Amino acid sequence: QVQLVESGGGWAQTGGSLRLSCVVSGLTFSRYSVGWFRQNSVKEREFVAAIGVNTVTTFYLDSVKGRFALSRDNDKNTVYLQMNSLQPEDTAVYYCAAAELHVGRSPELFDYWGQGTQVTVSS
């Protein structure tokens, strides 16, 4: 059974940092790209970031460039989203998702989804 489990969410002060983790099981992790999406009460689900199977190809939402950074550890079947300089606008439920081989911004590319982790940022 394929599972994606997010962790690391919580509350952060404006300007603070959090690191989200996505642990993937039930598939050959190195064959899958991993993306992060987020959704809040006033916006549709939006793409945040994604990393390809080669660990080189990455995409970021414009508003998080320079603040968020993706990395992956294939030995641990884990993708990390380091979030720095957090702003209230980053408040959302964050979901990780896996797509075989492909990498991109479209949620239609992603076959498997986690349950999400809440991130709340306030001053």
Side-chain angles (χ1 to χ4, degrees), residues 37-49:
F37 297 79
R38 66 187 183 188
Q39 186 170 12
N40 61 34
S41 62
V42 298
K43 296 183 69 175
E44 299 293 328
R45 183 173 298 186
E46 67 177 350
F47 167 83
V48 177

Side-chain angles (χ1 to χ4, degrees), residues 8 31 73 81 122:
R31 292 180 55 84
D73 186 338
L81 181 65
S122 64

Side-chain angles (χ1 to χ4, degrees), residues 11 41 53 83 93 95 103 105 114 119:
W11 178 87
S41 62
V53 297
M83 305 187 295
V93 177
Y95 300 88
V103 62
R105 299 174 181 266
V119 171

Side-chain angles (χ1 to χ4, degrees), residues 57-72:
T57 302
T58 56
F59 298 91
Y60 292 95
L61 178 68
D62 284 345
S63 64
V64 308
K65 287 181 179 178
R67 299 190 297 118
F68 291 9
L70 273 176
S71 62
R72 66 185 292 165

Side-chain angles (χ1 to χ4, degrees), residues 2 24-33 53 72 77 100-101:
V2 176
V24 181
S25 61
L27 50 75
T28 303
F29 180 71
S30 62
R31 292 180 55 84
Y32 284 78
S33 61
V53 297
R72 66 185 292 165
N77 287 10
E100 187 174 8
L101 300 180

